[in-house]
Amino acid sequence: MSKVIVFDHPLIQHKLSVMREKDTSVKEFRELVSEVATLMCYEATRDLPLEETEIETPVAKAKVKRIAGKKLAIVPILRAGLGMVDGMLTMIPSAKVGHIGLYRDPDTLMPVKYYCKMPKDVAERDIIIVDPMLATGGSASAAITFMKEYGCRHIKLMCIIGAPEGAKKIQEAHPDVDIYIAAMDERLNSHGYIVPGLGDAGDRIFGTK
Ligand code: PRP
Ligand code: URA
């Protein structure tokens, strides 16, 4: 069974609370998504392997630790996942970025794929799929399946807000994929929106409402 890791860091919680407010501007919302992604990335990469290497400081030789050349790819689910990419790259600037375009059919709530572009060597990389919202879990589950079809074996899912329904769906369909979130909200409403949530993340990032 995969783990659900909720980041309760005060900075993340404070920023998320401002994001939730309906009067937060598009500019501020976009900045906060990026900042929360940076902070979450810091926590979610805690298990990156280190290797020892010898260097010379101005004073003496020293054995120090560096990240052991682990290859990573960040995969945002378009559109809203795009808002998290820059924040992630602030922490891991050498990561490659693959894109999956999915939208949720408003009637069936099923994900519809419309775009995909991956780095050539994506199967050799550890994958972090990013999307601010995990609602029914349909989009994230489809994205994970898609990455597995590409041959990816080490996949993490990073969302900002999750619903219990979405987390359950991922855990059942993909027990090998850990879920990192900043908050687990109460439930979904009849339109598949997270309650209390923050509304439509894509619209709030791009100002399309
Ligand atoms: C939102 C969100 C997720 C999806 C979550 O995207 O960014 O991708 O809904 O819902 P689910 O867990 O029920 O699949 P949306 O389909 O609104 O597209 P957008 O990012 O282009 O606005
Ligand atoms: N997608 C969003 O953007 N918000 C929700 O609450 C659910 C799905």
Side-chain angles (χ1 to χ4, degrees), residues 77-80 102-104 131 133-139 200 202:
I77 302 177
L78 309 185
R79 289 176 301 167
L102 291 174
Y103 71 86
R104 203 170 66 150
D131 189 331
M133 308 306 275
L134 177 66
T136 65
S139 304
D200 187 306

Side-chain angles (χ1 to χ4, degrees), residues 60-73:
K61 284 190 175 164
K63 286 203 167 104
V64 294
K65 287 177 180 156
R66 288 195 173 146
I67 290 173
K70 194 86 177 168
K71 288 174 152 189
L72 293 173

Side-chain angles (χ1 to χ4, degrees), residues 106-125:
D107 298 321
T108 64
L109 300 184
M110 294 303 288
V112 181
K113 192 168 108 208
Y114 60 89
Y115 185 75
C116 176
K117 185 83 183 173
M118 290 296 148
K120 264 206 196 87
D121 60 352
V122 75
E124 296 158 30
R125 292 177 176 267

Side-chain angles (χ1 to χ4, degrees), residues 14-192:
H14 177 84
K15 288 174 193 290
L16 176 56
S17 298
V18 180
M19 286 170 65
R20 287 183 190 272
E21 283 188 42
K22 64 178 170 42
D23 293 330
T24 295
S25 69
V26 169
K27 174 181 178 290
E28 201 180 356
F29 188 89
R30 193 184 290 149
E31 287 167 357
L32 287 163
V33 170
S34 191
E35 288 169 14
V36 167
T38 302
L39 294 168
M40 290 184 76
C41 178
Y42 173 80
E43 288 282 342
T45 49
R46 187 173 281 286
D47 60 352
L48 279 181
L50 293 170
E51 65 189 5
E52 210 170 69
T53 175
E54 192 166 286
I55 58 149
E56 255 182 82
T57 76
V59 180
K61 284 190 175 164
K63 286 203 167 104
V64 294
K65 287 177 180 156
R66 288 195 173 146
I67 290 173
K70 194 86 177 168
K71 288 174 152 189
L72 293 173
I74 299 160
V75 178
I77 302 177
L78 309 185
R79 289 176 301 167
L82 279 179
M84 297 173 73
V85 173
D86 281 353
M88 302 281 292
L89 291 175
T90 301
M91 279 288 145
I92 35 177
S94 58
K96 290 197 174 168
V97 181
H99 295 84
I100 299 181
L102 291 174
Y103 71 86
R104 203 170 66 150
D105 182 289
D107 298 321
T108 64
L109 300 184
M110 294 303 288
V112 181
K113 192 168 108 208
Y114 60 89
Y115 185 75
C116 176
K117 185 83 183 173
M118 290 296 148
K120 264 206 196 87
D121 60 352
V122 75
E124 296 158 30
R125 292 177 176 267
D126 282 8
I127 307 297
I128 306 178
I129 295 175
V130 294
D131 189 331
M133 308 306 275
L134 177 66
T136 65
S139 304
S141 184
I144 294 167
T145 300
F146 195 60
M147 298 315 298
K148 288 181 175 173
E149 284 167 5
Y150 260 96
C152 301
R153 288 289 159 260
H154 299 106
I155 302 172
K156 291 175 178 172
L157 174 65
M158 188 190 294
C159 301
I160 297 181
I161 300 183
E165 295 89 332
K168 184 164 179 275
K169 183 174 184 113
I170 300 299
Q171 288 185 308
E172 283 171 3
H174 302 288
D176 54 318
V177 175
D178 288 338
I179 304 166
Y180 297 86
I181 51 174
M184 180 69 84
D185 275 10
E186 285 165 37
R187 61 184 170 89
L188 297 178
N189 68 14
S190 56
H191 302 288

